[in-house]
């Protein structure tokens, strides 16, 4: 009888121990869940703060980019305005240059014009004074020729030169024993070269 009672007591004690262990395990699980929940709340809050910080940083960067774009736009407008002013000024200078391109040459020819005017005003000289008059006219001609040469005008040398269609305009061909075929034998009108360009070809006769 005592043995039976002892067995029942041991069984009852074992059951209570199991219950206590289960309760402890349940309490441990609940504590862990509570701890996870408590820990999770701050993490959620941290994520919210981080997102707000990212949005604020993004807005600030966007504002900075907008300001930079506006500054570049203003610079572009100023450069365009400067270019337009430069283009108009250059166009005006080109028009004035074309309009007054001959002013330098005309200014150099005015003294020649004055001398011709004086010669005409003096009238034709008497028979015995014609030589001095001719000399005066020759001086004016040389003065005029000097002005043209100073501007780069050159008189072509034609007679005795091989015919060149770039420099010569053949009026006719003639038979001659003095020159070989294709040689300029006579000049009917002078040809001129301005610097490196033919201003007027010479009118010539060519040996045939």
């Amino acid at each position: 009888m005592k043995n039976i009672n002892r067995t029942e007591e041991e069984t009852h004690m074992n059951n209570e121990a199991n219950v206590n262990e289960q309760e402890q395990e349940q309490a441990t699980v609940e504590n862990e869940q509570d701890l996870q929940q408590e820990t999770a709340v701050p993490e959620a809050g941290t994520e919210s703060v981080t997102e707000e910080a990212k949005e604020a940083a993004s807005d600030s960067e966007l504002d900075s980019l907008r300001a930079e774009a506006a500054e570049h736009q203003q610079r572009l407008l100023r450069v365009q305005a400067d270019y337009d002013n430069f283009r108009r000024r250059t166009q005006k200078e080109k028009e004035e240059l074309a309009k007054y391109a001959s002013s330098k040459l005309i200014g150099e020819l005015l003294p020649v014009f004055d001398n011709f005017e004086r010669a005409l005003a003096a009238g034709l000289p008497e028979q015995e004074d014609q030589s001095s008059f001719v000399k005066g006219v020759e001086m004016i001609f040389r003065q005029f020729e000097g002005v043209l040469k100073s501007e780069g005008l050159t008189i072509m040398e034609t007679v005795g030169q091989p015919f060149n269609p770039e420099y010569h305009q053949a009026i006719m061909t003639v038979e001659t024993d003095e020159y070989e075929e294709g040689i300029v034998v006579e000049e009917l009108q002078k040809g001129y070269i301005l610097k490196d360009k033919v201003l007027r070809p010479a009118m010539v006769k060519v040996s045939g």
Side-chain angles (χ1 to χ4, degrees):
M1 189 67 177
K2 289 182 180 179
N3 290 332
I4 293 172
N5 291 334
R6 185 177 298 172
T7 300
E8 291 178 353
E9 288 178 356
E10 290 176 355
T11 301
H12 180 71
M13 291 176 64
N14 288 332
N15 290 334
E16 288 181 353
N18 290 332
V19 170
N20 290 333
E21 289 179 358
Q22 292 176 358
E23 290 178 351
Q24 289 178 356
E25 290 177 356
Q26 182 66 29
T28 301
V29 171
E30 291 177 354
N31 289 334
E32 290 178 354
Q33 291 177 350
D34 292 340
L35 181 61
Q36 290 177 357
Q37 291 178 355
E38 291 176 356
T39 306
V41 170
E43 289 179 353
T46 303
E47 291 179 357
S48 177
V49 171
T50 303
E51 291 297 330
E52 291 179 357
K54 288 182 178 179
E55 291 179 1
S58 178
D59 291 340
S60 177
E61 184 178 359
L62 182 60
D63 292 339
S64 177
L65 291 174
R66 286 174 178 170
E68 186 175 354
E71 183 179 355
H72 287 317
Q73 179 69 15
Q74 291 298 322
R75 288 182 180 178
L76 178 61
L77 292 175
R78 287 195 295 270
V79 169
Q80 186 175 359
D82 291 341
Y83 173 75
D84 290 340
N85 292 333
F86 171 77
R87 182 173 54 82
R88 285 193 293 268
R89 185 171 62 252
T90 304
Q91 182 64 27
K92 184 178 179 180
E93 290 176 354
K94 288 174 63 178
E95 291 175 355
E96 291 182 352
L97 181 62
K99 185 177 180 181
Y100 300 106
S102 58
S103 60
K104 180 177 182 294
L105 177 59
I106 292 175
E108 293 178 350
L109 289 176
L110 287 178
V112 181
F113 182 78
D114 293 338
N115 288 334
F116 268 120
E117 187 177 24
R118 293 188 186 99
L120 292 174
L124 292 176
E126 298 295 334
Q127 185 68 28
E128 61 272 12
D129 296 327
Q130 286 186 357
S131 59
S132 61
F133 178 81
V134 171
K135 288 182 180 179
V137 173
E138 285 181 352
M139 290 178 60
I140 297 173
F141 176 79
R142 298 305 174 193
Q143 184 183 14
F144 179 65
E145 185 180 36
V147 172
L148 296 180
K149 285 184 177 180
S150 67
E151 291 297 318
L153 188 70
T154 304
I155 301 174
M156 292 183 186
E157 296 292 338
T158 58
V159 177
Q161 301 296 321
F163 174 76
N164 186 337
E166 294 183 3
Y167 297 94
H168 309 139
Q169 181 180 357
I171 301 302
M172 59 184 299
T173 59
V174 295
E175 297 292 335
T176 178
D177 296 333
E178 187 178 357
Y179 297 101
E180 297 178 359
E181 184 177 354
I183 302 298
V184 176
V185 298
E186 185 179 349
E187 181 181 74
L188 304 178
Q189 186 181 71
K190 290 183 180 297
Y192 296 94
I193 298 174
L194 181 60
K195 296 179 180 178
D196 57 352
K197 181 180 179 181
V198 175
L199 185 64
R200 189 181 76 182
M203 295 175 61
V204 296
K205 292 181 181 181
V206 183
S207 60

